[in-house]
């Protein structure tokens, strides 16, 4: 029987755990953790992700703030805003929602964020700490997926884990975490340069699909009993939702699910865990300060 991994339920449990701790801090006269988000432009996807992040903060009793810029903002303006936030004692952590407009160098922006406030875990210092197994901010999606494995007690040790996609935000950090002692998987990363993706996937005990191509992972690529984690969140037009959009995963869910021991749905699988991981990182940043 296939078990459907309920990321929404697990994230609610974690939010409840955070809220209890925050309430205690406030009762004891402490300060609310404070997350700031910077949003550039009007991309519908980025806008809704940032709105969710703000709403999540309210739910657990964090303070939050949103700083908006037009698409036309210069890199220098953005960098000086980051510098201000780095030095603002009232802000525990902040994120710059990606992607940024083409005229802004994302690497410059990521490197400008103080590693101690980089709750996205994107700064090279924090990535380096993650790779070497030091305590740091781990980027939200890989961290959320690790938490799902733990809470569902899914065995990862000694398993063949295939990760589809090598992005800096998901695929690459995921591959590092899964190969570390605590997860103990044998990891293969496949990407656009890989010649025999279906054969490699077919060998996997755990498949993590994170390349952003709807329905890429089909049933013929999945071994019977595999664990399938779907990171895809492509926004596609839909006349069935209020917003006019729906999220499409990277997995052909209908045909893949019957073969799996565990699978994450889209929506309601990885997405809510990504959001709660950002809250955990913000809480950690506030405790560190
Ligand atoms: N764009 C897509 N995912 C993310 C994320 O986790 N953080 C930020 N800042 N931007 C994103």
């Amino acid at each position: 029987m296939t078990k459907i991994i309920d990321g929404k339920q697990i994230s609610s449990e974690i939010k409840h755990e955070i809220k209890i701790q925050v309430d205690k801090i406030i009762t004891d006269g402490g300060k609310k953790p404070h997350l700031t988000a910077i949003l550039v432009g009007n991309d519908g996807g980025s806008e809704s992700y940032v709105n969710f992040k703000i709403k999540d903060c309210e739910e657990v009793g964090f303070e939050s703030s949103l700083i908006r810029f037009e698409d036309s903002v210069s890199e220098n303006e953005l960098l000086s805003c980051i510098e201000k936030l780095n030095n603002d004692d009232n802000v525990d952590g902040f994120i710059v929602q990606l992607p940024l407009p083409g005229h802004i160098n994302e690497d410059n922006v990521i490197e400008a964020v103080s590693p101690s406030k980089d709750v996205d875990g994107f700064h090279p210092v924090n990535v380096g700490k993650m790779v070497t197994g030091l305590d740091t901010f781990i980027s939200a999606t890989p961290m959320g997926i690790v938490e799902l494995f733990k809470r569902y007690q899914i065995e990862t040790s000694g398993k063949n884990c295939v990760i589809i996609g090598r992005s800096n935000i998901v695929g690459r950090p995921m591959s590092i975490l899964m190969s570390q002692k605590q997860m103990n998987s044998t990891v293969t990363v496949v990407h656009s340069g890989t010649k025999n993706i279906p054969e490699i996937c077919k060998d996997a005990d755990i498949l993590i699909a994170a390349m952003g191509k709807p329905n890429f992972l089909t049933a013929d690529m999945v071994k019977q009993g595999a664990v399938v984690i779907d990171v895809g969140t492509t926004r596609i037009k839909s006349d069935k939702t209020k917003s006019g959009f729906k999220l499409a995963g990277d997995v052909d869910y209908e045909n893949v699910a019957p073969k799996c021991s565990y699978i994450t749905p889209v929506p309601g699988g990885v997405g809510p865990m990504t959001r709660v991981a950002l809250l955990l990182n913000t809480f950690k940043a506030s405790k560190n300060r």
Side-chain angles (χ1 to χ4, degrees), residues 269-282:
V270 173
M273 294 304 294
T274 297
R275 286 164 53 185
V276 88
L278 179 64
L279 295 177
L280 289 169
N281 276 344
T282 303

Side-chain angles (χ1 to χ4, degrees), residues 36-44 46-48 50-51 65-71 73 77-78 81:
T36 295
I38 300 178
L39 175 62
V40 178
N42 301 293
D43 173 76
S46 292
E47 202 148 330
S48 69
V50 166
N51 286 337
S65 43
L66 172 61
I67 300 174
R68 295 196 69 144
F69 289 101
E70 297 291 330
D71 254 326
V73 67
E77 268 177 280
L78 198 52
C81 174

